[in-house]
Amino acid sequence: MPTTLPERRPPAVPPAAPSGGPFRGPQGFMLAVTVAAAVAVVALPFLDRTGGNRAPLEVSIEPPTVTFADGEQSQGDGETLNRAAEAVLDTVERTLAGRRGLVTASADSAPGEHLHRETLAIELECDAEGCLGTLERRRPAASRVRGRRPAFRFDLGDPRDIDRKVGTEVHLAYLRYRRLQDGPQLFVRADDYRRYLDVRLAMGRSTADGDAGPLFEALAAVRGGSPRFSDAYLLEARLRLRTGEVGTAVDLLRSAHRIAPGDRRVLVLLADRLAEMGRAEDAAPYLRRLDQLWPGAASPWPPRP
């Protein structure tokens, strides 16, 4: 007898999904919301690091508070200590000047801007060989502590060691604010940096113009020995502005900008002075750069001395 084969049936085909994809209907809507929330949670930290859509943070830098552990100190110790404290302040200013979304209150922000504000306090406990330093971020309200970095030690007579140690601590304290690759850096010889710090100290002690000739000579020597040290050009530009040499100051600021295009201090001074001279078209590129990196903090403001 012939064998009867079982009847073959076509394979079952699952019903087609309704048009609209997996996000159709109440369950799909909840899935879409969940996915969107997850993407936002992942993306927000990255947006925050670039400073996107955040009002810039304005940091007011307090002069370092210095104590000497051994009590009495000689005149030589005092000079070394003053230079070290100035090197700490200089390093903090330079490190913060090249961070996106962060401005310093000394010369970088316009009055009336809606900025987040805080103070950076610097404490130094020094002996004959070195200093133990701490950095503390404080909110304006009742000087409430926002964050305190662990203590760090640096060599009292080595400005490069000061820049390395203090710069690292400032970087870690403001890690969420991205450091610009073209910001200011310490491209300077050790002897030139000491001369530069001595000029900073002399300018800080003098409120009058006085005889600036020796200071100009010292800064010219620094620029000659360390031509890529943009802070020397910036410091001489500030000194030239004190003596009313605006054109020379602008030329020095342009040189500083070519070395460190991401230095906000230079951009602000260039925009201010060019606008003051009636050269709005020349000031426009610097204002655009400011608005790109520090949105909300680049509106026009009165020129500063």
Side-chain angles (χ1 to χ4, degrees):
M1 296 181 59
T3 305
T4 303
L5 297 177
E7 180 183 359
R8 292 187 178 182
R9 297 181 179 180
V13 178
S19 60
F23 299 131
R24 184 180 178 86
Q27 293 181 342
F29 175 76
M30 292 303 298
L31 177 60
V33 172
T34 304
V35 171
V39 171
V41 169
V42 173
L44 279 176
F46 294 97
L47 292 175
D48 187 55
R49 283 181 60 83
T50 64
N53 299 324
R54 286 177 57 88
L57 172 67
E58 180 188 78
V59 180
S60 178
I61 307 170
E62 294 185 353
T65 301
V66 184
T67 57
F68 200 76
D70 296 338
E72 295 295 327
Q73 54 181 327
S74 66
Q75 182 178 358
D77 291 336
E79 293 175 356
T80 302
L81 192 61
N82 289 337
R83 188 182 290 121
E86 193 67 24
V88 170
L89 185 59
D90 177 65
T91 299
V92 172
E93 292 174 356
R94 180 171 49 256
T95 306
L96 294 181
R99 292 192 171 271
R100 185 169 184 172
L102 188 150
V103 302
T104 52
S106 55
D108 291 352
S109 56
E113 293 291 343
H114 298 288
L115 307 175
H116 302 294
R117 291 180 171 86
E118 70 176 41
T119 299
L120 180 64
I122 308 166
E123 298 178 3
L124 304 176
E125 297 181 7
C126 303
D127 53 34
E129 297 181 355
C131 294
L132 193 67
T134 55
L135 302 177
E136 189 172 89
R137 297 175 60 182
R138 298 173 179 170
R139 296 183 184 275
S143 296
R144 186 161 58 92
V145 176
R146 182 176 185 179
R148 184 180 179 91
R149 292 292 307 160
F152 57 94
R153 188 170 181 82
F154 57 84
D155 184 349
L156 189 59
D158 186 354
R160 288 180 175 278
D161 188 54
I162 294 173
D163 178 80
R164 184 168 53 253
K165 300 286 182 59
V166 177
T168 298
E169 292 303 316
V170 174
H171 169 69
L172 294 174
Y174 293 94
L175 193 60
R176 71 189 301 179
Y177 296 91
R178 191 176 67 188
R179 181 168 52 186
L180 300 174
Q181 296 299 319
D182 57 0
Q185 299 186 47
L186 193 69
F187 294 136
V188 63
R189 301 187 309 177
D191 291 343
D192 290 334
Y193 191 46
R194 290 188 179 91
R195 294 191 190 97
Y196 162 84
L197 292 173
D198 289 341
V199 174
R200 275 184 57 113
L201 286 168
M203 289 177 63
R205 288 191 295 262
S206 175
T207 56
D209 295 341
D211 182 12
L215 301 184
F216 288 136
E217 293 176 3
L219 288 172
V222 172
R223 292 191 288 107
S226 302
R228 296 184 62 204
F229 183 39
S230 62
D231 283 64
Y233 297 84
L234 173 60
L235 187 62
E236 184 173 345
R238 292 188 182 281
L239 186 57
R240 296 286 180 181
L241 289 173
R242 281 192 183 186
T243 58
E245 302 172 73
V246 179
T248 304
V250 168
D251 291 339
L252 288 163
L253 289 168
R254 288 185 185 276
S255 297
H257 179 67
R258 283 192 291 269
I259 299 170
D263 189 336
R264 179 178 166 80
R265 302 167 299 175
V266 175
L267 290 167
V268 166
L269 276 177
L270 266 174
D272 273 352
R273 295 312 167 189
L274 288 170
E276 184 183 45
M277 297 166 70
R279 297 165 59 181
E281 291 185 1
D282 293 333
Y286 305 112
L287 286 171
R288 283 196 297 268
R289 175 75 165 165
L290 285 166
D291 190 56
Q292 175 190 6
L293 297 176
W294 296 274
S299 57
W301 49 76
R304 300 179 186 82

